[in-house]
Amino acid sequence: MTEATRTTGGVSDPPVDVAAAAGRIAANVGRVVQGKDAVVRLALVTLLAEGHLLVEDVPGVGKTTLAKALAASIDATVRRIQFTPDLLPSDVTGVAVYDQESREFEFKPGAIFANVVVADEINRASPKTQSALLECMEERQVTVDGVSYELARPFLVMATQNPLEMEGTYPLPEAQRDRFTTRVSMGYPDQDAELAMLDDRATTDPLAGLLPVADAASVRDLITAVGGLHVSEAVRRYVVDLVGSTRRSPHLRLGASPRAGLQLLRAARASAALAGRDMVLPDDVKDLAGPVLAHRLLLAPSAAGGGRTAEHVVADLVATLPVPRGR
């Protein structure tokens, strides 16, 4: 069982059970996002891997609701940015304003200065504004006028986008997509979940009554515990081989980056912790290969013309690559 120990005033508090704590967050989010346990779990994996999540699907399936429910479940600072064509980079990162009384420039933090940032419809902002997130998401800092400002931890960007309605949108460039640890599609709810939704939301909004079940400090402890999970040499080689196979695939013109391998291993650690294990298994890597790798890949013209998707290519690579035995 994976546990983290918090120290307060020189005294160690009781260990924190990662699986139990994450289970409480998942159950809380599940009160609003019904029938999507796998999607909620992937969002938690991303949070505990200290990564960022891209939620991509058609309108009305609960992309923003998932982001807001997870944010509401953690007693931490939360900001929502509605990305629009007229949004400026300074609206995201902040700006230095001249103070006439002190005769000095004072930095006014932008909306990115929060533990959980909901970037709604991220592809509606210009590439210039999208690029304001690059340093934030990778280095967890903001540089304005040559001065760097560190962002609070945990720091999670949950972005949503609609992949179908492309009028007035700007596709995310490869550098931006590569900074998202995972991508998930919500999908339509099943019939029972949709019926429950009609009853539960007839007169009230479930988000309004959602109370936090964790705070920023406890999430930091969980992230620390996840980072300490044991990963064998065989599993590490398996990650490297899997990522490397995307660069050799004839179906792809752009394979996965080294950053993808790092984030795949971090996500596998988080998945193992959610399962209550203190070590990573090859199955953890296999299960997350699609959500972590597919959105970073570019299909070759022949593959795209044949109706293949990046998810299909990743699934084929996972199926053909030998899985290491033992632990």
Side-chain angles (χ1 to χ4, degrees):
M1 185 174 293
T2 308
E3 296 180 335
T5 301
R6 183 190 305 175
T7 301
T8 306
V11 178
S12 294
D13 293 342
V16 178
D17 188 327
V18 175
R24 289 191 292 272
I25 299 175
N28 207 47
V29 175
R31 293 172 54 194
V32 178
V33 184
Q34 298 173 333
K36 296 294 178 183
D37 294 345
V39 174
V40 173
R41 188 180 190 279
L42 186 60
L44 282 174
V45 164
T46 307
L47 172 66
L48 298 185
E50 232 180 345
H52 307 289
L53 177 67
L54 178 62
V55 188
E56 185 178 275
D57 215 321
V58 297
V61 294
K63 300 187 298 295
T64 305
T65 300
L66 170 66
K68 292 171 70 174
L70 181 59
S73 298
I74 303 171
D75 187 11
T77 55
V78 179
R79 297 290 294 272
R80 177 185 176 185
I81 309 174
Q82 183 65 54
F83 278 68
T84 56
D86 60 347
L87 188 73
L88 298 176
S90 58
D91 296 328
V92 177
T93 60
V95 64
V97 179
Y98 184 72
D99 188 335
Q100 293 185 346
E101 293 185 2
S102 63
R103 296 186 178 181
E104 294 180 351
F105 282 93
E106 180 183 359
F107 178 66
K108 300 292 185 182
I112 201 67
F113 283 83
N115 294 116
V116 179
V117 178
V118 181
D120 210 4
E121 296 189 278
I122 188 174
N123 57 335
R124 293 201 175 276
S126 68
K128 182 178 181 180
T129 301
Q130 289 181 17
S131 66
L133 290 171
L134 295 179
E135 181 186 16
C136 308
M137 294 174 66
E138 178 65 18
E139 303 175 39
R140 289 173 170 77
Q141 68 177 24
V142 170
T143 302
V144 177
D145 294 338
V147 180
S148 296
Y149 304 90
E150 188 174 353
L151 297 171
R153 295 198 176 190
F155 175 64
L156 169 70
V157 174
M158 296 185 66
T160 70
Q161 72 169 355
N162 172 14
L164 298 180
E165 184 189 357
M166 302 307 293
E167 288 189 23
T169 64
Y170 303 87
L172 297 182
E174 287 75 18
Q176 182 70 67
R177 292 204 308 268
D178 198 40
R179 280 163 169 77
F180 284 102
T181 303
T182 52
R183 180 183 65 177
V184 65
S185 294
M186 296 291 296
Y188 292 111
D190 59 34
Q191 187 178 45
D192 292 338
E194 198 159 5
L195 283 171
M197 188 187 308
L198 295 178
D199 294 335
D200 295 343
R201 305 186 187 189
T203 57
T204 60
D205 180 5
L207 272 171
L210 204 63
L211 299 176
V213 294
D215 57 21
S218 63
V219 172
R220 285 195 296 269
D221 289 339
L222 298 179
I223 291 172
T224 299
V226 166
L229 256 68
H230 173 72
V231 182
S232 67
E233 177 70 17
V235 172
R236 292 200 300 272
R237 287 188 178 275
Y238 181 56
V239 170
V240 171
D241 290 344
L242 181 56
V243 171
S245 68
T246 65
R247 303 167 193 161
R248 299 185 296 271
S249 172
H251 303 296
L252 300 172
R253 60 187 177 94
L254 177 66
S257 67
R259 181 191 288 122
L262 289 170
Q263 296 190 348
L264 178 56
L265 188 58
R266 290 174 184 168
R269 279 191 167 108
S271 180
L274 290 181
R277 287 185 271 106
D278 58 2
M279 65 174 59
V280 178
L281 302 179
D283 283 347
D284 296 315
V285 178
K286 292 173 61 177
D287 292 342
L288 289 164
V292 173
L293 299 181
H295 64 284
R296 309 167 189 270
L297 309 177
L298 291 181
L299 289 171
S302 58
R308 294 176 66 87
T309 65
E311 286 80 3
H312 292 151
V313 175
V314 172
D316 290 344
L317 292 174
V318 169
T320 57
L321 192 68
V323 179
R325 295 181 178 180
R327 298 184 178 182

